[in-house]
Amino acid sequence: MTKARVTVIDIAKAAGVSKSTVSLVLQGSSLVNEATRAKVNAVMRELGYVYNRGAANLRQAGAKSKIIGVVVNDLTNSFFAELAVGVDMVVQSAGFVQFLSNTSESIDRQREVVASMREHGISGLIVSPARATDAADFKPLVAAGIPVVVVVRNLPGAKVSSVVSDNRAGMMSAVKHLAELGHKRIAFLGGFPDTAVFDDRLAGYRSGMEAAGLDYHQELVVSSAPSRAGGGEAIGKAIVLSDKPTAAVCFNDAVAFGVCDGLRARRLEPGSDFAVVGFDDVIEAQAAVPALTTVSVDPQGIGRRGAQLLLKQINAGKAEAETVTTAVRLVVRESCGARRSVKSKQDAE
């Protein structure tokens, strides 16, 4: 049998106070003395009472919820888990709770979860859009005055705030580094071609190749799912080219890990037989074997910055769009073969 839900009246009777006193305690009112507050709280714990804050908010005319919606496109990628941690650091300290949802790149799922979050009265939304998201998808939220911050993937045409990393500069620095190590056939592996991030990183790759005086070859660009499995698939296609690449810049770290898997499956060692550079610098990058050379974008920092921007708009009571581009830096470790290259030069001298 289902146990009857404990009510405010039950709490009032058990504590020997009025219903209005219990309500004041729930609202955190200073009108209740500490002894009474402690007694009411003790009774609520004993009876297992759960305060329905959402319903209470609906009863208060004009009251705002303390809920932040966070929607990401691929929670299996540790980058987005780190980003969500960054968001939580900021919103929790501000008294908000984060509702996190994963779309798995489904535009239909994204529309469903955003609609559901609106029904629950979210105060604002942080979203890394699924593939094929259209700027019009967020028009209803903008029209309703709900602040929206797009992170990681920019959404051209949407009148919402955004926090993205400097993708072009990051990829250019990765290509420059590999070129300085002596690589001339550098592949670009992974990523979906129908996203703004892919376009930006590919543009950075092309600019980097040009700056290094290297020719751009379309066959060296191999798109795939931005995942570990996608990386394995991409290196499988690149390594069988008649004029094989000797190095690769990868769309993200997940792809880079998959590239390393694919190389080992072919008895090639990352960092020794083939140079690999990732993009993101997730926590696992430093602990990988070999440690992954990658472009650091600080996913937790992006999450914190996105949350700060959202709270600023919520507190201001208006959703004026702002654009933030965060700096990136190349972190050189072992997977690019830099240390081996230095050692070889020393041996030659």
Side-chain angles (χ1 to χ4, degrees):
M1 293 179 65
T2 304
K3 186 178 179 180
R5 186 171 66 87
V6 178
T7 67
V8 170
I9 294 173
D10 297 328
I11 301 297
K13 287 181 179 178
V17 297
S18 67
K19 177 184 172 183
S20 60
T21 297
V22 176
S23 296
L24 289 171
V25 170
L26 290 172
Q27 294 166 24
S29 173
S30 59
L31 297 175
V32 182
N33 66 55
E34 288 306 312
T36 302
R37 186 188 310 279
K39 183 178 181 181
V40 171
N41 283 328
V43 170
M44 286 193 290
R45 286 193 298 271
E46 183 182 339
L47 297 182
Y49 178 76
V50 177
Y51 183 33
N52 189 334
R53 193 172 299 275
N57 283 340
L58 290 174
R59 288 192 295 269
Q60 298 175 42
K64 291 184 178 179
S65 78
K66 302 292 281 186
I67 301 170
I68 298 295
V70 180
V71 180
V72 299
N73 53 287
D74 183 13
L75 200 51
T76 63
N77 184 339
S78 60
F79 175 93
F80 291 104
E82 291 182 45
L83 185 145
V85 168
V87 171
D88 197 57
M89 287 178 181
V90 174
V91 301
Q92 189 179 62
S93 63
F96 286 77
V97 63
Q98 171 186 172
F99 278 13
L100 176 63
S101 184
N102 177 46
T103 64
S104 298
E105 298 290 3
S106 167
I107 188 67
D108 289 334
R109 173 64 179 160
Q110 179 174 281
R111 287 167 180 157
E112 287 174 5
V113 298
V114 170
S116 178
M117 287 177 174
R118 282 198 68 186
E119 289 173 7
H120 283 82
I122 57 170
S123 290
L125 177 70
I126 295 175
V127 56
S128 177
R131 292 172 65 194
T133 297
D134 190 271
D137 287 321
F138 295 107
K139 276 187 176 179
L141 282 84
V142 174
I146 299 172
V148 177
V149 176
V150 169
V151 293
V152 184
R153 293 177 172 177
N154 203 358
L155 195 57
K159 295 179 180 179
V160 298
S161 296
S162 64
V163 180
V164 295
S165 56
D166 196 339
N167 293 301
R168 294 192 182 206
M171 197 56 79
M172 282 184 70
S173 68
V175 172
K176 179 185 177 186
H177 178 69
L178 290 173
E180 288 174 346
L181 292 176
H183 296 282
K184 293 180 171 54
R185 294 279 289 176
I186 303 170
F188 178 98
L189 304 180
F192 291 127
D194 58 353
T195 61
V197 178
F198 182 92
D199 291 342
D200 287 345
R201 292 183 184 176
L202 181 60
Y205 164 76
R206 295 192 68 159
S207 296
M209 295 290 281
E210 182 181 351
L214 301 176
D215 293 332
Y216 172 82
H217 298 284
Q218 184 61 45
E219 71 269 18
L220 290 178
V221 177
V222 184
S223 62
S224 71
S227 63
R228 193 162 191 149
E233 176 189 329
I235 189 61
K237 292 177 181 178
I239 211 70
V240 296
L241 292 172
S242 56
D243 192 359
K244 296 180 178 62
T246 59
V249 290
C250 301
F251 178 78
N252 62 16
D253 286 349
V255 169
F257 294 142
V259 167
C260 291
D261 294 340
L263 288 168
R264 290 199 182 95
R266 293 164 178 80
R267 298 186 179 180
L268 297 172
E269 186 58 30
S272 298
D273 302 313
F274 192 96
V276 181
V277 179
F279 205 112
D280 284 344
D281 197 22
V282 296
I283 291 173
E284 298 97 312
Q286 188 171 2
V289 179
L292 185 65
T293 294
T294 183
V295 177
S296 177
V297 304
D298 186 13
Q300 284 195 23
I302 290 176
R304 290 194 300 271
R305 190 70 187 89
Q308 289 163 355
L309 191 55
L310 190 72
L311 291 179
K312 173 186 172 183
Q313 295 180 1
I314 291 171
N315 293 332
K318 53 185 177 181
E320 292 185 357
E322 295 182 51
T323 300
V324 175
T325 302
T326 61
V328 300
R329 64 186 177 90
L330 181 68
V331 179
V332 179
R333 299 193 181 104
E334 298 169 359
S335 67
C336 63
R339 294 183 182 181
R340 180 174 177 272
S341 212
V342 170
K343 187 176 184 302
S344 296
K345 288 180 182 178
Q346 292 172 341
D347 290 344
E349 293 169 357

